Amino acid sequence: MKKSALQTARAAYQPKLPVTLTGAVKAVEGVPTQSVADQEEIKKLFPNTYGLPELRFEKNPNPVVGKPINVGVILSGGQAPGGHNVICGLFDGIKKINKDSRLYGFLMGPGGLVDHDYIELTAPIIDEYRNTGGFDIIGSGRTKLEKKEQFDKGLEILKELNIKALVIIGGDDYNTNAAVLAEYYKSIDAGVQVIGCPKTIDGDLKNEVIEASFGFDTATKVYSELIGNIQRDCFSAKKYWHFIKLMGRSASHIALECALQTQPNICIISEEVEAKNLTLQNVVNSIANVVAQRAAAGNNFGTVLIPEGLIEFIPAMKSLIAELNDLLAKSPEFASLSAPEQREFVIKNLSTDNAAVYQSLPEGVARQLTLDRDPHGNVQVSLIETEKLLSEMVGRRLKEMKKEGCYNGKFSALHHFFGYEGRCAAPSNFDADYCYALGYNAACLINEGVTGYMSSLRNLTKPSVQWLAGGIPITMMFNMERRHGEMKPVIQKALVRLDGTPFRRFAAKRDEWALNTSYVFPGPIQYFGPSEVCDQPTKTLHYEHLDK
Ligand code: FBP
């Protein structure tokens, strides 16, 4: 494939490892850990991998030469910038342990393990992908690894290739699967370690011990560039309201980070909508009020950021979606019905309140709510056109306000959805370094012989050489949640904290941003140049560190 000039220049970038990882390391054990909730239940489900200690790496003054080790790697879920560097770091890490170590990549996600689809990742292949965006080196997929038959089938190929450790790069769902797999392989003495790496542009795989998931930094920088460009256009033309939906299936971290970077007129935060028990109409009214106030000052333009997951956080909608999830999970016949029959089926089988909410929605949106769930039972919110739903309803509300004499402006809306534009961007310096170090660190965890751990780097607002490396038992992040109509142990998703500094900074400024036009235009990611332009972490990470 022909390379762009940037790709060629970027291939030469050498990610900066934390100092600790630049030589031989030894692991120092912390105290035994507990899951974040439902401890007794989770302990019972994970008898072999529950309660393990946190691990911190230190330099080892007495290194020993490691034995060659064969490792498998899987990319899973949505693409996130930096995935290739995790694999490059892992490759370099296992080669550093012993030059005869080998790396195998399972193709198109976890399904590749079950179907025995793989390639060996050799140095020439790895070198083609250093510091590039995308997951195309081995592809990704959303197959859920949860059944014993899948684990056993996977084990056949792992044994055949003499693979002693498997690295699963994924979000909360796939790291949940990694922990389940680690427990199973340990319980049958399979001799295969499983290590997870925190990936997702959504930024919702983080907690006290995992500071950030990779990809969030680059993706939010790309979206912020686009929002900035739109704001400059909107400020120049002064005639459109731009409704911009941003990816982030559940949490609003992406929307919040982009708001902090670009200072739009409005940004909705789903977690706040839920906490305040707002209805869809409340949200619409608040947007319409800002539109009216700006119109009164002669400004018939503006920007509204909408998190993709909003719909699931509106309490009435949440209850409707939860009931729909259960109903659809136990109604296989639903898929074969025609569209009108499906509507009738849903209305007939839902509780009265939820059926009323369902019927009150525009038909298109109601239908979008019943589309296929992903393999983890999640509604595919990226298919729901919330930006259009909101602008339509705002338009209607403004007409009423005109009649009431409290609005006298022009409202013309344009719609955007930013998601895929950022998921495969060339990783920022932060993500290039973070991902490479996550992969390299995973190799160190493998060398320690541990299983059921997530690769972890902390102190992320400091230059990468000062990051702290180690491993976190995945079961520590677990709680019990309802999935596909059943209670399951899963990694707790990190939602936007309304008491956290990132949200509080936004909340303190949003009224000013609503009425005054205070747009910021971040411009494109810079890979070369002064550190204050090239190496800044996200504002979210920066403000979260102020909370520590
Ligand atoms: P992950 O949680 O797997 O990282 O996916 C993130 C994401 O980009 C979400 O923001 C989005 O809702 C979803 O993937 C879309 O996935 P797909 O392209 O498979 O429909």
Side-chain angles (χ1 to χ4, degrees):
M1 232 186 254
K2 186 170 160 28
K3 283 203 177 99
S4 68
L6 179 72
Q7 255 178 299
T8 307
R10 201 60 188 151
Y13 178 75
Q14 181 53 52
K16 299 176 284 299
L17 274 179
V19 171
T20 336
L21 296 183
T22 53
V25 293
K26 61 174 185 202
V28 179
E29 286 191 4
V31 291
T33 56
Q34 292 208 44
S35 58
V36 285
D38 310 308
Q39 289 87 3
E40 283 315 310
E41 255 171 300
I42 290 163
K43 191 173 174 180
K44 257 191 235 140
L45 292 167
F46 295 85
N48 296 286
T49 49
Y50 185 85
L52 298 168
E54 279 184 37
L55 298 177
R56 182 169 46 81
F57 285 123
E58 283 183 359
K59 280 198 170 296
N60 187 351
N62 307 308
V64 281
V65 181
K67 292 203 184 96
I69 183 160
N70 289 1
V71 172
V73 64
I74 297 176
L75 287 164
S76 41
Q79 281 68 252
H84 287 158
N85 266 24
V86 181
I87 295 180
C88 297
L90 178 63
F91 180 84
D92 292 350
I94 61 169
K95 290 284 183 188
K96 184 85 183 256
I97 292 165
N98 189 299
K99 64 175 182 25
D100 293 325
S101 298
R102 299 170 91 157
L103 183 62
Y104 294 92
F106 290 98
L107 303 179
M108 302 311 291
L113 176 70
V114 182
D115 300 337
H116 299 188
D117 257 346
Y118 67 90
I119 52 165
E120 182 173 355
L121 294 165
T122 55
I125 300 179
I126 290 286
D127 289 343
E128 279 294 299
Y129 288 92
R130 291 186 189 269
N131 308 309
T132 57
F135 276 9
D136 41 303
I137 187 170
I138 48 175
S140 185
R142 289 198 183 274
T143 304
K144 188 170 166 62
L145 283 184
E146 60 174 350
K147 297 196 183 90
K148 184 177 166 310
E149 306 83 76
Q150 293 174 306
F151 301 165
D152 290 337
K153 197 86 200 1
L155 190 56
E156 285 172 18
I157 189 69
L158 296 174
K159 290 277 177 214
E160 195 180 313
L161 297 172
N162 193 25
I163 289 176
K164 298 281 186 233
L166 187 62
V167 175
I168 298 187
I169 303 170
D172 52 338
D173 287 330
Y174 297 94
N175 275 284
T176 294
N177 295 168
V180 175
L181 191 61
E183 173 65 28
Y184 178 70
Y185 284 166
K186 184 96 190 182
S187 74
I188 59 166
D189 230 347
V192 179
Q193 302 161 243
V194 184
I195 302 293
C197 280
K199 171 237 71 167
T200 176
I201 60 161
D202 292 2
D204 55 8
L205 173 46
K206 64 176 170 185
N207 46 52
E208 286 298 303
V209 282
I210 298 293
E211 292 185 6
S213 57
F214 78 76
F216 178 71
D217 185 273
T218 311
T220 52
K221 282 176 175 149
V222 173
Y223 304 145
S224 296
E225 180 204 348
L226 299 176
I227 295 163
N229 294 349
I230 286 177
Q231 293 193 148
R232 197 128 229 182
D233 192 289
C234 152
F235 194 31
S236 309
K238 297 190 168 53
K239 59 178 180 181
Y240 294 122
W241 270 88
H242 292 265
F243 284 70
I244 305 168
K245 183 174 78 165
L246 291 160
M247 260 193 184
R249 194 178 50 202
S250 197
S252 310
H253 298 294
I254 292 182
L256 178 57
E257 172 64 23
C258 292
L260 291 167
Q261 287 193 36
T262 61
Q263 305 188 179
N265 300 108
I266 300 171
C267 173
I268 298 161
I269 301 296
S270 309
E271 291 81 346
E272 186 184 25
V273 169
E274 182 176 45
K276 292 187 170 163
N277 211 1
L278 301 180
T279 61
L280 188 55
Q281 194 58 49
N282 293 147
V283 176
V284 167
N285 292 353
S286 70
I287 300 174
N289 289 342
V290 173
V291 173
Q293 286 175 50
R294 285 182 64 79
N299 296 322
N300 286 301
F301 64 91
T303 46
V304 186
L305 306 190
I306 303 154
E308 184 184 56
L310 173 67
I311 215 87
E312 283 192 279
F313 282 78
I314 295 174
M317 298 292 290
K318 191 177 182 168
S319 144
L320 165 63
I321 290 170
E323 199 181 345
L324 273 175
N325 284 347
D326 288 355
L327 177 64
L328 299 185
K330 56 177 194 239
S331 314
E333 71 279 18
F334 181 79
S336 56
L337 301 178
S338 66
E341 284 168 346
Q342 285 187 336
R343 187 173 167 81
E344 202 180 308
F345 176 91
V346 167
I347 295 168
K348 203 170 103 206
N349 287 288
L350 284 178
S351 61
T352 321
D353 285 356
N354 285 336
V357 175
Y358 183 82
Q359 279 175 289
S360 73
L361 294 171
E363 262 192 51
V365 174
R367 188 168 157 60
Q368 284 162 0
L369 290 179
T370 59
L371 294 176
D372 282 350
R373 272 46 186 159
D374 76 5
H376 300 268
N378 302 307
V379 178
Q380 300 194 50
V381 281
S382 52
L383 302 179
I384 301 172
E385 294 178 315
T386 334
E387 68 283 21
K388 292 194 182 145
L389 171 71
L390 284 180
S391 85
E392 242 179 76
M393 292 179 74
V394 166
R396 264 187 253 153
R397 174 68 196 135
L398 288 169
K399 278 191 187 134
E400 287 169 15
M401 288 168 76
K402 219 168 225 177
K403 278 194 200 137
E404 291 160 12
C406 43
Y407 168 63
N408 189 18
K410 284 193 189 125
F411 177 70
S412 179
L414 292 177
H415 306 104
H416 315 265
F417 168 35
F418 297 146
Y420 298 100
E421 293 77 355
R423 295 203 313 185
C424 282
S428 61
N429 285 348
F430 175 90
D431 273 326
D433 291 353
Y434 185 42
C435 292
Y436 184 81
L438 281 172
Y440 196 95
N441 187 58
C444 298
L445 289 167
I446 292 168
N447 200 33
E448 285 297 321
V450 297
T451 191
Y453 275 79
M454 190 180 287
S455 178
S456 139
L457 292 154
R458 291 155 89 166
N459 214 19
L460 295 180
T461 52
K462 293 279 182 326
S464 52
V465 289
Q466 294 173 34
W467 292 349
L468 307 172
I472 306 294
I474 303 178
T475 52
M476 186 181 172
M477 304 165 206
F478 272 24
N479 70 162
M480 299 297 290
E481 286 177 24
R482 200 169 180 77
R483 295 286 168 95
H484 278 303
E486 267 179 67
M487 291 307 280
K488 292 265 164 110
V490 293
I491 293 180
Q492 197 174 51
K493 247 188 213 313
L495 300 179
V496 168
R497 289 181 51 169
L498 302 183
D499 60 350
T501 304
F503 178 78
R504 287 193 289 113
R505 293 272 170 146
F506 159 73
K509 286 287 182 184
R510 62 178 154 190
D511 291 347
E512 187 188 321
W513 298 347
L515 300 187
N516 308 330
T517 304
S518 318
Y519 303 150
V520 173
F521 316 110
I525 295 178
Q526 301 297 311
Y527 299 92
F528 309 95
S531 188
E532 65 276 17
V533 182
C534 298
D535 300 327
Q536 291 309 308
T538 57
K539 289 188 185 288
T540 304
L541 198 52
H542 173 74
Y543 290 143
E544 279 172 352
H545 268 250
L546 299 182
D547 282 339
K548 291 193 174 172

